[in-house]
Amino acid sequence: MPQVWNVIYELSKNYNCQLIITTHSLELVKYAVEINKFNDSNFNFIKLFDNKGTISTYTYSELESDIESELDVR
């Protein structure tokens, strides 16, 4: 998966396009953080309908911190 994220990142950068990716895979989200190419200015993570029925938005730094703390960000 890191290779997939690297390709996705490079293509979006080369074509100057925005990507919207949906997933239920915690591993996919973890690998997005692991490749360490994103930052707070080029990445947003939106969690729809958490256990309180609300929508949460994370910056890259917040997502990275929550994953390191082993919180379920899905």
Side-chain angles (χ1 to χ4, degrees), residues 30 65-73:
K30 285 181 177 180
S65 175
D66 285 358
I67 288 174
E68 288 174 1
S69 300
E70 298 185 2
L71 297 175
D72 188 0
V73 294

Side-chain angles (χ1 to χ4, degrees), residues 20-67:
I20 298 172
I21 299 170
T22 62
T23 184
H24 290 279
S25 170
L26 182 57
E27 291 76 22
L28 187 66
V29 175
K30 285 181 177 180
Y31 283 118
V33 170
E34 186 178 295
I35 67 164
N36 201 26
K37 290 193 176 184
F38 299 105
N39 57 50
D40 285 342
S41 67
N42 68 1
F43 183 92
N44 275 317
F45 180 80
I46 300 170
K47 181 178 180 177
L48 299 177
F49 308 113
D50 63 11
N51 59 358
K52 297 177 185 172
T54 60
I55 298 172
S56 302
T57 303
Y58 297 81
T59 64
Y60 176 81
S61 298
E62 291 168 333
L63 181 61
E64 182 179 39
S65 175
D66 285 358
I67 288 174

